[in-house]
Amino acid sequence: MTAEASESLSTLPLGQKGRVLGFVLPPEHRQRLLEMGLTVGAQFEVIRFAPLGDPIDIKVRGYHLSLRKNEAAGVLVARL
């Protein structure tokens, strides 16, 4: 882990940009996110929330990725 202040992706507000610092997820969930381009160091932007707040839509590597709130809670990020 780095000395940067980290927080959960699920806590970021709409429009916030950030960078992935790491994961606190079971191996199968972490692997799935890595395969979809959400890797350590990847920059992203929170685009929208579904009406009930789940899922969260982020833009990473030029495309939109929807994450369930419980998955997003396991992604450690730094705000940019």
Side-chain angles (χ1 to χ4, degrees), residues 3-80:
E4 292 180 86
S6 67
E7 59 185 299
S8 167
L9 172 56
S10 64
T11 64
L12 297 182
L14 191 63
Q16 179 67 56
K17 293 183 181 184
R19 184 175 61 252
V20 177
L21 298 178
F23 302 94
V24 184
L25 291 166
E28 61 275 6
H29 291 243
R30 180 174 43 246
Q31 184 62 35
R32 185 170 138 302
L33 294 178
L34 291 170
E35 290 170 356
M36 291 189 291
L38 198 62
T39 58
V40 174
Q43 294 187 9
F44 64 88
E45 180 179 359
V46 179
I47 300 297
R48 69 178 67 92
F49 297 100
L52 298 176
D54 196 14
I56 298 169
D57 182 36
I58 65 171
K59 188 170 186 179
V60 61
R61 300 185 188 274
Y63 75 98
H64 291 262
L65 176 63
S66 291
L67 297 173
R68 293 183 185 109
K69 197 144 189 152
N70 63 344
E71 289 175 325
V75 180
L76 301 177
V77 300
R79 294 181 187 222
L80 295 180

